[in-house]
Amino acid sequence: ADDPGRAFLWTRVAGPNARIILAALPGRTWSPVHVELLRSMAGKDQKVICIQGMENADALAVAVEQACQHRKADFAFLHGMRPADEVHSDYKRYRRLLRNNALMAWNGIRPMAPRPAEDGGDRLWASLKPMYPQHAEYLSGCGDACGGIAMIKV
């Protein structure tokens, strides 16, 4: 949720009573103004929960699971512009939190200027695409640094 525009989109496509969990990458925090902006995007009966400042990826996953109130989620979006091992580990962590037929998406496929430290999304897509018959990639306008978005139905 470093990108408020993306967070706004999630609140608009989520159900009217959804819990939208926005999590900063481990070690990152948002300003109080940013957190208030994110929370203000919730629809009338929605709840936006902001998780930040976790020291590592495992602690973040535990916090997300707790915020889900131990219910399976309908959707997860991963930040793919990170090293491949981090993105792949997050796929495993968050895949188990999703219900059957849920959607998982991530950015970073076919980025404009790929770098090994940021190729995790692209490499995850290459490895998972053949495993999930119901998948999509959105490349329209991917001429920016974050590339396109991959999506799988799990």
Side-chain angles (χ1 to χ4, degrees), residues 8-70:
F8 180 76
L9 174 64
W10 302 151
T11 64
R12 294 304 166 254
V13 299
N17 298 311
R19 298 171 61 82
I20 297 109
I21 301 164
L22 305 174
L25 291 173
R28 293 191 188 174
T29 58
W30 299 311
S31 73
V33 171
H34 189 81
V35 171
E36 188 55 37
L37 172 65
L38 295 173
R39 288 183 179 148
S40 74
M41 294 178 187
K44 181 181 173 197
D45 294 320
Q46 292 178 338
K47 183 170 185 178
V48 171
I49 300 164
C50 297
I51 300 173
Q52 57 180 322
M54 297 289 107
E55 68 179 61
N56 60 54
D58 290 328
L60 179 58
V62 168
V64 168
E65 186 170 12
Q66 290 172 344
C68 288
Q69 297 179 333
H70 303 284

Side-chain angles (χ1 to χ4, degrees), residues 85-117:
D85 60 331
E86 289 180 20
V87 178
H88 190 76
S89 292
D90 277 353
Y91 158 76
K92 290 180 191 176
R93 278 183 193 96
Y94 295 104
R95 167 62 188 95
R96 67 181 183 76
L97 300 181
L98 295 174
R99 66 169 174 77
N100 288 337
N101 296 314
L103 299 175
M104 179 178 274
W106 59 92
N107 64 352
I109 64 167
R110 298 192 198 169
M112 189 169 63
R115 299 184 318 199

Side-chain angles (χ1 to χ4, degrees), residues 4 10 12 42 78 103 108 124 133-134 137 149:
W10 302 151
R12 294 304 166 254
L78 304 177
L103 299 175
L124 181 65
Q134 293 184 294
E137 58 184 34
I149 294 174

